[in-house]
Structures are given as C-alpha cells and as structure tokens.
Amino acid sequence: MKYLIHFFALLVSVSVFAQGNDGPVRIEIESRAEVFELVPCNQLGVLVFYESIREIDEQTKSWVFIFYDNKLNPQWSKELPVYRDFVYTDHFLDGENIFLAFQKKEKARRDEFNFQLTRLNLLDAGVKSEGMFVPDKAALINFEVSGQTFAAGFNFGKDEALLLARNLN
C-alpha cells in the first residue's frame, strides 16, 4: 500500500510539471447565447427575458419573454416589441402584473420616445405598452405603479432630481 501511494504521488507530480509555462490552453468558440434578465415574481414564478436579434421594423426590436411557475415549468412565452436601442432598466411587481421599464441608451431625436413602460400580466400574458418622453440625461432610479398612476424618480444632471407622475389610462 505504501508503494501504491508513492507511485500515485509521483504520477501526479510528473503530470503537473509536464505542463508548460505558456499559460492555460484557451479555446474560443462562437456562441449565440443572449444576455438575459431573470426577475423573481414571488409565489407566481420567475420571468426570464432577453433582447433578440430580430428586428420587427425600423423602430422596434423583438424581446423574448418566458414565464416559469415555481416548479420551473414554462407557462408561456411571448415576443414583444421594444423600441430600438432601448435597454431594460428596472421592474415593479404588483400582484399578477409586472411593469418593465426600458430606456434609450443614447440621446433620442425629438420625434422619438426615449422611455417605454410595459405592463405584462403574468397569469394570462396580457400586454400593454406605452412610450414616453423624459429629459435626455435623466437616469431612472426607481418607479412604482399604484392603481393607474405611474410615478418614477430620475437623476437629472448635477444634484438634480426629476419626479414623473403619469396616469396610465
């Protein structure tokens, strides 16, 4: 038994020293994986979504949403239009509805929206979405929806804040 342990130790040490000093072997492969968002939805399940490469038209891209129950069984999946060059910024969960905020990452033209609020019903996959204008340099900090009232706080410039309240009807 003693010789078996020495033999194993010698075998392991030889294989470790046999590696060169060229650094680790690195193999790059092409991946089509998307960056995705994962939002826990309390006792209802979890929402997973990501921006796809599919363009719907000149102004919108397709985002893929998949809702899983608490046992991670898919309940539904849906492609939704989101304005081009928008990024996901935050969410607000209100019972069976989740509100998702998307904001344009670059300065918008005057004839374009630069903020999109999307309401998604987690039980029946119903969707309502609307675009809004916010000042160009406003960065979303937090938002909430109570009934039909949307309220959002933005950082705006140096030491300035912006509060946006809107009726969603």
Side-chain angles (χ1 to χ4, degrees):
M1 182 71 170
K2 181 178 174 183
Y3 292 111
L4 184 60
I5 292 173
H6 285 298
F7 176 73
F8 181 74
L10 179 65
L11 184 64
V12 169
S13 64
V14 168
S15 67
V16 169
F17 287 111
Q19 295 181 6
N21 289 334
D22 297 336
V25 175
R26 183 172 156 178
I27 301 172
E28 293 188 20
I29 59 173
E30 182 180 349
S31 174
R32 298 193 191 275
E34 304 284 346
V35 175
F36 63 91
E37 299 290 339
L38 180 90
V39 179
C41 300
N42 297 333
Q43 73 277 8
L44 296 175
V46 65
L47 180 67
V48 177
F49 59 98
Y50 59 91
E51 179 182 7
S52 75
I53 59 172
R54 191 169 85 79
E55 295 181 2
I56 296 174
D57 57 33
E58 291 181 8
Q59 294 181 342
T60 55
K61 287 190 84 170
S62 175
W63 283 60
V64 177
F65 292 80
I66 308 166
F67 182 65
Y68 296 90
D69 66 12
N70 280 333
K71 295 180 182 176
L72 296 181
N73 296 316
Q75 298 301 299
W76 53 260
S77 66
K78 192 170 223 169
E79 282 190 49
L80 299 176
V82 174
Y83 291 112
R84 173 177 293 208
D85 298 327
F86 278 43
V87 293
Y88 165 74
T89 53
D90 203 359
H91 71 276
F92 178 74
L93 185 62
D94 183 26
E96 64 190 40
N97 292 308
I98 187 165
F99 295 85
L100 303 165
F102 298 90
Q103 195 166 3
K104 189 162 181 113
K105 42 186 173 177
E106 296 161 6
K107 186 175 179 177
R109 297 186 333 229
R110 290 223 179 264
D111 62 337
E112 293 180 329
F113 293 117
N114 58 359
F115 186 84
Q116 180 176 338
L117 182 68
T118 300
R119 181 192 58 83
L120 190 55
N121 185 293
L122 298 171
L123 299 181
D124 66 8
V127 177
K128 184 177 180 187
S129 194
E130 68 179 277
M132 301 176 203
F133 290 104
V134 297
D136 283 330
K137 295 181 181 181
L140 180 68
I141 300 304
N142 197 2
F143 77 95
E144 288 194 17
V145 177
S146 178
Q148 294 298 316
T149 303
F150 164 74
F154 294 86
N155 274 346
F156 180 64
K158 288 187 176 184
D159 300 325
E160 293 182 39
L162 172 70
L163 178 64
L164 173 68
R166 184 170 180 163
N167 188 335
L168 295 177
N169 281 335

mmCIF file of all heavy atoms in Angstrom, residues 118-155:
data_model
loop_
_atom_site.group_PDB
_atom_site.id
_atom_site.type_symbol
_atom_site.label_atom_id
_atom_site.label_comp_id
_atom_site.label_asym_id
_atom_site.label_seq_id
_atom_site.Cartn_x
_atom_site.Cartn_y
_atom_site.Cartn_z
ATOM 1 N N THR A 118 -43.825 48.857 -19.986
ATOM 2 C CA THR A 118 -44.598 47.704 -20.463
ATOM 3 C C THR A 118 -45.206 46.975 -19.276
ATOM 4 O O THR A 118 -44.490 46.615 -18.339
ATOM 5 C CB THR A 118 -43.701 46.739 -21.262
ATOM 6 O OG1 THR A 118 -43.165 47.436 -22.379
ATOM 7 C CG2 THR A 118 -44.467 45.537 -21.740
ATOM 8 N N ARG A 119 -46.534 46.814 -19.303
ATOM 9 C CA ARG A 119 -47.224 46.021 -18.277
ATOM 10 C C ARG A 119 -47.453 44.638 -18.852
ATOM 11 O O ARG A 119 -47.974 44.474 -19.950
ATOM 12 C CB ARG A 119 -48.571 46.630 -17.897
ATOM 13 C CG ARG A 119 -49.285 45.796 -16.807
ATOM 14 C CD ARG A 119 -50.730 46.183 -16.617
ATOM 15 N NE ARG A 119 -51.548 46.083 -17.810
ATOM 16 C CZ ARG A 119 -52.104 44.948 -18.251
ATOM 17 N NH1 ARG A 119 -51.898 43.809 -17.638
ATOM 18 N NH2 ARG A 119 -52.842 44.964 -19.348
ATOM 19 N N LEU A 120 -47.072 43.629 -18.089
ATOM 20 C CA LEU A 120 -47.212 42.249 -18.517
ATOM 21 C C LEU A 120 -47.954 41.487 -17.430
ATOM 22 O O LEU A 120 -47.503 41.453 -16.276
ATOM 23 C CB LEU A 120 -45.817 41.668 -18.739
ATOM 24 C CG LEU A 120 -45.638 40.331 -19.406
ATOM 25 C CD1 LEU A 120 -46.318 40.294 -20.762
ATOM 26 C CD2 LEU A 120 -44.169 40.034 -19.571
ATOM 27 N N ASN A 121 -49.109 40.922 -17.773
ATOM 28 C CA ASN A 121 -49.856 40.117 -16.816
ATOM 29 C C ASN A 121 -49.247 38.719 -16.804
ATOM 30 O O ASN A 121 -49.180 38.059 -17.846
ATOM 31 C CB ASN A 121 -51.336 40.058 -17.183
ATOM 32 C CG ASN A 121 -52.146 39.336 -16.142
ATOM 33 O OD1 ASN A 121 -52.007 38.130 -15.947
ATOM 34 N ND2 ASN A 121 -52.994 40.079 -15.455
ATOM 35 N N LEU A 122 -48.804 38.283 -15.646
ATOM 36 C CA LEU A 122 -48.080 37.012 -15.552
ATOM 37 C C LEU A 122 -48.996 35.799 -15.699
ATOM 38 O O LEU A 122 -48.528 34.727 -16.079
ATOM 39 C CB LEU A 122 -47.326 36.941 -14.226
ATOM 40 C CG LEU A 122 -46.258 38.020 -14.048
ATOM 41 C CD1 LEU A 122 -45.714 38.011 -12.638
ATOM 42 C CD2 LEU A 122 -45.142 37.835 -15.056
ATOM 43 N N LEU A 123 -50.280 35.941 -15.411
ATOM 44 C CA LEU A 123 -51.186 34.802 -15.488
ATOM 45 C C LEU A 123 -51.707 34.549 -16.899
ATOM 46 O O LEU A 123 -51.769 33.408 -17.344
ATOM 47 C CB LEU A 123 -52.361 34.991 -14.517
ATOM 48 C CG LEU A 123 -51.961 35.109 -13.035
ATOM 49 C CD1 LEU A 123 -53.197 35.273 -12.172
ATOM 50 C CD2 LEU A 123 -51.140 33.913 -12.593
ATOM 51 N N ASP A 124 -52.073 35.613 -17.616
ATOM 52 C CA ASP A 124 -52.643 35.395 -18.944
ATOM 53 C C ASP A 124 -51.782 35.970 -20.078
ATOM 54 O O ASP A 124 -52.203 35.959 -21.227
ATOM 55 C CB ASP A 124 -54.060 35.957 -19.028
ATOM 56 C CG ASP A 124 -54.110 37.478 -18.898
ATOM 57 O OD1 ASP A 124 -53.054 38.138 -18.885
ATOM 58 O OD2 ASP A 124 -55.234 38.016 -18.802
ATOM 59 N N ALA A 125 -50.600 36.475 -19.775
ATOM 60 C CA ALA A 125 -49.647 37.013 -20.750
ATOM 61 C C ALA A 125 -50.182 38.240 -21.483
ATOM 62 O O ALA A 125 -49.713 38.576 -22.556
ATOM 63 C CB ALA A 125 -49.199 35.942 -21.742
ATOM 64 N N GLY A 126 -51.168 38.921 -20.886
ATOM 65 C CA GLY A 126 -51.679 40.159 -21.490
ATOM 66 C C GLY A 126 -50.622 41.259 -21.414
ATOM 67 O O GLY A 126 -49.866 41.341 -20.456
ATOM 68 N N VAL A 127 -50.588 42.119 -22.432
ATOM 69 C CA VAL A 127 -49.551 43.135 -22.533
ATOM 70 C C VAL A 127 -50.165 44.496 -22.838
ATOM 71 O O VAL A 127 -51.093 44.591 -23.643
ATOM 72 C CB VAL A 127 -48.547 42.794 -23.658
ATOM 73 C CG1 VAL A 127 -47.506 43.889 -23.806
ATOM 74 C CG2 VAL A 127 -47.886 41.475 -23.412
ATOM 75 N N LYS A 128 -49.635 45.519 -22.196
ATOM 76 C CA LYS A 128 -49.949 46.897 -22.559
ATOM 77 C C LYS A 128 -48.646 47.671 -22.447
ATOM 78 O O LYS A 128 -47.939 47.569 -21.446
ATOM 79 C CB LYS A 128 -51.004 47.493 -21.634
ATOM 80 C CG LYS A 128 -51.401 48.894 -22.052
ATOM 81 C CD LYS A 128 -52.500 49.443 -21.177
ATOM 82 C CE LYS A 128 -52.846 50.839 -21.660
ATOM 83 N NZ LYS A 128 -53.780 51.494 -20.748
ATOM 84 N N SER A 129 -48.340 48.432 -23.472
ATOM 85 C CA SER A 129 -47.062 49.127 -23.511
ATOM 86 C C SER A 129 -47.271 50.543 -24.008
ATOM 87 O O SER A 129 -48.130 50.785 -24.856
ATOM 88 C CB SER A 129 -46.112 48.373 -24.444
ATOM 89 O OG SER A 129 -44.810 48.805 -24.279
ATOM 90 N N GLU A 130 -46.504 51.482 -23.462
ATOM 91 C CA GLU A 130 -46.585 52.845 -23.958
ATOM 92 C C GLU A 130 -45.237 53.533 -23.861
ATOM 93 O O GLU A 130 -44.437 53.270 -22.967
ATOM 94 C CB GLU A 130 -47.667 53.641 -23.244
ATOM 95 C CG GLU A 130 -47.444 53.958 -21.795
ATOM 96 C CD GLU A 130 -48.601 54.775 -21.238
ATOM 97 O OE1 GLU A 130 -48.594 56.001 -21.426
ATOM 98 O OE2 GLU A 130 -49.494 54.176 -20.639
ATOM 99 N N GLY A 131 -45.003 54.406 -24.825
ATOM 100 C CA GLY A 131 -43.782 55.181 -24.858
ATOM 101 C C GLY A 131 -43.996 56.543 -24.226
ATOM 102 O O GLY A 131 -45.108 57.077 -24.228
ATOM 103 N N MET A 132 -42.932 57.113 -23.666
ATOM 104 C CA MET A 132 -42.994 58.412 -23.005
ATOM 105 C C MET A 132 -41.721 59.193 -23.328
ATOM 106 O O MET A 132 -40.705 58.617 -23.692
ATOM 107 C CB MET A 132 -43.062 58.247 -21.487
ATOM 108 C CG MET A 132 -44.214 57.457 -20.963
ATOM 109 S SD MET A 132 -44.066 57.253 -19.178
ATOM 110 C CE MET A 132 -45.052 55.798 -18.942
ATOM 111 N N PHE A 133 -41.827 60.486 -23.133
ATOM 112 C CA PHE A 133 -40.659 61.353 -23.235
ATOM 113 C C PHE A 133 -40.183 61.684 -21.828
ATOM 114 O O PHE A 133 -40.982 62.051 -20.971
ATOM 115 C CB PHE A 133 -40.992 62.661 -23.946
ATOM 116 C CG PHE A 133 -41.274 62.497 -25.404
ATOM 117 C CD1 PHE A 133 -42.565 62.553 -25.878
ATOM 118 C CD2 PHE A 133 -40.236 62.296 -26.306
ATOM 119 C CE1 PHE A 133 -42.833 62.405 -27.226
ATOM 120 C CE2 PHE A 133 -40.499 62.152 -27.654
ATOM 121 C CZ PHE A 133 -41.797 62.206 -28.116
ATOM 122 N N VAL A 134 -38.891 61.545 -21.579
ATOM 123 C CA VAL A 134 -38.250 62.049 -20.361
ATOM 124 C C VAL A 134 -37.040 62.857 -20.822
ATOM 125 O O VAL A 134 -36.550 62.657 -21.933
ATOM 126 C CB VAL A 134 -37.834 60.914 -19.389
ATOM 127 C CG1 VAL A 134 -39.038 60.148 -18.896
ATOM 128 C CG2 VAL A 134 -36.828 59.977 -20.002
ATOM 129 N N PRO A 135 -36.551 63.788 -20.009
ATOM 130 C CA PRO A 135 -35.365 64.543 -20.428
ATOM 131 C C PRO A 135 -34.208 63.603 -20.773
ATOM 132 O O PRO A 135 -34.038 62.544 -20.170
ATOM 133 C CB PRO A 135 -35.041 65.402 -19.207
ATOM 134 C CG PRO A 135 -36.353 65.562 -18.506
ATOM 135 C CD PRO A 135 -37.076 64.264 -18.733
ATOM 136 N N ASP A 136 -33.405 64.006 -21.761
ATOM 137 C CA ASP A 136 -32.352 63.135 -22.301
ATOM 138 C C ASP A 136 -31.381 62.606 -21.270
ATOM 139 O O ASP A 136 -30.983 61.464 -21.316
ATOM 140 C CB ASP A 136 -31.573 63.868 -23.396
ATOM 141 C CG ASP A 136 -32.351 63.901 -24.695
ATOM 142 O OD1 ASP A 136 -33.118 62.956 -24.937
ATOM 143 O OD2 ASP A 136 -32.189 64.863 -25.446
ATOM 144 N N LYS A 137 -30.954 63.431 -20.352
ATOM 145 C CA LYS A 137 -29.932 62.996 -19.399
ATOM 146 C C LYS A 137 -30.519 62.433 -18.107
ATOM 147 O O LYS A 137 -29.812 62.252 -17.137
ATOM 148 C CB LYS A 137 -28.990 64.153 -19.099
ATOM 149 C CG LYS A 137 -28.209 64.572 -20.329
ATOM 150 C CD LYS A 137 -27.263 65.686 -20.032
ATOM 151 C CE LYS A 137 -26.540 66.073 -21.323
ATOM 152 N NZ LYS A 137 -25.594 67.138 -21.116
ATOM 153 N N ALA A 138 -31.801 62.135 -18.112
ATOM 154 C CA ALA A 138 -32.453 61.593 -16.923
ATOM 155 C C ALA A 138 -32.193 60.091 -16.836
ATOM 156 O O ALA A 138 -32.441 59.347 -17.769
ATOM 157 C CB ALA A 138 -33.945 61.870 -16.974
ATOM 158 N N ALA A 139 -31.687 59.654 -15.691
ATOM 159 C CA ALA A 139 -31.417 58.227 -15.452
ATOM 160 C C ALA A 139 -32.399 57.708 -14.412
ATOM 161 O O ALA A 139 -32.478 58.237 -13.301
ATOM 162 C CB ALA A 139 -29.989 58.036 -14.969
ATOM 163 N N LEU A 140 -33.156 56.681 -14.771
ATOM 164 C CA LEU A 140 -34.166 56.118 -13.872
ATOM 165 C C LEU A 140 -33.511 55.568 -12.609
ATOM 166 O O LEU A 140 -32.546 54.807 -12.678
ATOM 167 C CB LEU A 140 -34.946 55.005 -14.578
ATOM 168 C CG LEU A 140 -36.027 54.324 -13.753
ATOM 169 C CD1 LEU A 140 -37.172 55.286 -13.461
ATOM 170 C CD2 LEU A 140 -36.545 53.089 -14.469
ATOM 171 N N ILE A 141 -34.052 55.955 -11.462
ATOM 172 C CA ILE A 141 -33.578 55.443 -10.176
ATOM 173 C C ILE A 141 -34.542 54.398 -9.629
ATOM 174 O O ILE A 141 -34.148 53.319 -9.221
ATOM 175 C CB ILE A 141 -33.416 56.590 -9.149
ATOM 176 C CG1 ILE A 141 -32.409 57.602 -9.666
ATOM 177 C CG2 ILE A 141 -33.002 56.060 -7.783
ATOM 178 C CD1 ILE A 141 -31.051 57.032 -10.000
ATOM 179 N N ASN A 142 -35.831 54.722 -9.635
ATOM 180 C CA ASN A 142 -36.833 53.810 -9.108
ATOM 181 C C ASN A 142 -38.203 54.236 -9.638
ATOM 182 O O ASN A 142 -38.388 55.387 -9.991
ATOM 183 C CB ASN A 142 -36.835 53.831 -7.583
ATOM 184 C CG ASN A 142 -37.534 52.634 -6.984
ATOM 185 O OD1 ASN A 142 -37.999 51.749 -7.699
ATOM 186 N ND2 ASN A 142 -37.626 52.596 -5.670
ATOM 187 N N PHE A 143 -39.138 53.286 -9.668
ATOM 188 C CA PHE A 143 -40.510 53.631 -10.041
ATOM 189 C C PHE A 143 -41.481 52.679 -9.374
ATOM 190 O O PHE A 143 -41.104 51.587 -8.931
ATOM 191 C CB PHE A 143 -40.692 53.639 -11.562
ATOM 192 C CG PHE A 143 -40.812 52.273 -12.186
ATOM 193 C CD1 PHE A 143 -42.057 51.717 -12.436
ATOM 194 C CD2 PHE A 143 -39.690 51.553 -12.546
ATOM 195 C CE1 PHE A 143 -42.179 50.475 -13.021
ATOM 196 C CE2 PHE A 143 -39.800 50.315 -13.140
ATOM 197 C CZ PHE A 143 -41.050 49.771 -13.376
ATOM 198 N N GLU A 144 -42.726 53.127 -9.275
ATOM 199 C CA GLU A 144 -43.810 52.317 -8.739
ATOM 200 C C GLU A 144 -45.077 52.622 -9.512
ATOM 201 O O GLU A 144 -45.205 53.689 -10.111
ATOM 202 C CB GLU A 144 -44.031 52.588 -7.253
ATOM 203 C CG GLU A 144 -42.934 52.036 -6.380
ATOM 204 C CD GLU A 144 -43.297 52.009 -4.907
ATOM 205 O OE1 GLU A 144 -44.502 52.122 -4.576
ATOM 206 O OE2 GLU A 144 -42.383 51.887 -4.095
ATOM 207 N N VAL A 145 -46.006 51.670 -9.450
ATOM 208 C CA VAL A 145 -47.313 51.844 -10.060
ATOM 209 C C VAL A 145 -48.339 51.520 -8.988
ATOM 210 O O VAL A 145 -48.266 50.481 -8.340
ATOM 211 C CB VAL A 145 -47.502 50.923 -11.286
ATOM 212 C CG1 VAL A 145 -48.895 51.072 -11.858
ATOM 213 C CG2 VAL A 145 -46.441 51.216 -12.336
ATOM 214 N N SER A 146 -49.272 52.451 -8.801
ATOM 215 C CA SER A 146 -50.350 52.246 -7.836
ATOM 216 C C SER A 146 -51.662 52.505 -8.557
ATOM 217 O O SER A 146 -51.917 53.633 -8.992
ATOM 218 C CB SER A 146 -50.181 53.201 -6.650
ATOM 219 O OG SER A 146 -51.252 53.040 -5.747
ATOM 220 N N GLY A 147 -52.447 51.462 -8.703
ATOM 221 C CA GLY A 147 -53.671 51.600 -9.479
ATOM 222 C C GLY A 147 -53.316 51.928 -10.916
ATOM 223 O O GLY A 147 -52.646 51.161 -11.587
ATOM 224 N N GLN A 148 -53.734 53.098 -11.376
ATOM 225 C CA GLN A 148 -53.421 53.536 -12.742
ATOM 226 C C GLN A 148 -52.388 54.665 -12.759
ATOM 227 O O GLN A 148 -52.186 55.296 -13.791
ATOM 228 C CB GLN A 148 -54.699 53.993 -13.452
ATOM 229 C CG GLN A 148 -55.686 52.870 -13.698
ATOM 230 C CD GLN A 148 -55.095 51.796 -14.598
ATOM 231 O OE1 GLN A 148 -54.454 52.069 -15.602
ATOM 232 N NE2 GLN A 148 -55.306 50.540 -14.225
ATOM 233 N N THR A 149 -51.726 54.918 -11.618
ATOM 234 C CA THR A 149 -50.758 56.006 -11.540
ATOM 235 C C THR A 149 -49.337 55.466 -11.545
ATOM 236 O O THR A 149 -48.971 54.615 -10.732
ATOM 237 C CB THR A 149 -50.982 56.841 -10.263
ATOM 238 O OG1 THR A 149 -52.328 57.314 -10.264
ATOM 239 C CG2 THR A 149 -50.028 58.016 -10.210
ATOM 240 N N PHE A 150 -48.566 55.969 -12.467
ATOM 241 C CA PHE A 150 -47.146 55.626 -12.609
ATOM 242 C C PHE A 150 -46.347 56.786 -12.036
ATOM 243 O O PHE A 150 -46.570 57.945 -12.386
ATOM 244 C CB PHE A 150 -46.830 55.411 -14.096
ATOM 245 C CG PHE A 150 -45.370 55.437 -14.443
ATOM 246 C CD1 PHE A 150 -44.545 54.368 -14.123
ATOM 247 C CD2 PHE A 150 -44.816 56.525 -15.106
ATOM 248 C CE1 PHE A 150 -43.204 54.386 -14.451
ATOM 249 C CE2 PHE A 150 -43.480 56.547 -15.452
ATOM 250 C CZ PHE A 150 -42.672 55.474 -15.122
ATOM 251 N N ALA A 151 -45.409 56.490 -11.125
ATOM 252 C CA ALA A 151 -44.527 57.519 -10.557
ATOM 253 C C ALA A 151 -43.097 57.017 -10.646
ATOM 254 O O ALA A 151 -42.799 55.881 -10.259
ATOM 255 C CB ALA A 151 -44.907 57.814 -9.116
ATOM 256 N N ALA A 152 -42.221 57.860 -11.164
ATOM 257 C CA ALA A 152 -40.822 57.466 -11.349
ATOM 258 C C ALA A 152 -39.907 58.585 -10.893
ATOM 259 O O ALA A 152 -40.193 59.766 -11.095
ATOM 260 C CB ALA A 152 -40.549 57.144 -12.817
ATOM 261 N N GLY A 153 -38.789 58.195 -10.281
ATOM 262 C CA GLY A 153 -37.765 59.136 -9.875
ATOM 263 C C GLY A 153 -36.546 58.990 -10.766
ATOM 264 O O GLY A 153 -36.101 57.875 -11.050
ATOM 265 N N PHE A 154 -36.010 60.118 -11.219
ATOM 266 C CA PHE A 154 -34.852 60.135 -12.112
ATOM 267 C C PHE A 154 -33.767 61.025 -11.527
ATOM 268 O O PHE A 154 -34.068 62.047 -10.907
ATOM 269 C CB PHE A 154 -35.232 60.706 -13.493
ATOM 270 C CG PHE A 154 -36.197 59.877 -14.269
ATOM 271 C CD1 PHE A 154 -37.566 60.018 -14.085
ATOM 272 C CD2 PHE A 154 -35.748 58.961 -15.212
ATOM 273 C CE1 PHE A 154 -38.463 59.270 -14.813
ATOM 274 C CE2 PHE A 154 -36.638 58.207 -15.944
ATOM 275 C CZ PHE A 154 -37.996 58.362 -15.755
ATOM 276 N N ASN A 155 -32.517 60.649 -11.713
ATOM 277 C CA ASN A 155 -31.407 61.569 -11.510
ATOM 278 C C ASN A 155 -31.284 62.373 -12.781
ATOM 279 O O ASN A 155 -31.326 61.826 -13.881
ATOM 280 C CB ASN A 155 -30.095 60.822 -11.244
ATOM 281 C CG ASN A 155 -29.926 60.475 -9.786
ATOM 282 O OD1 ASN A 155 -30.629 60.981 -8.936
ATOM 283 N ND2 ASN A 155 -28.989 59.588 -9.513
#
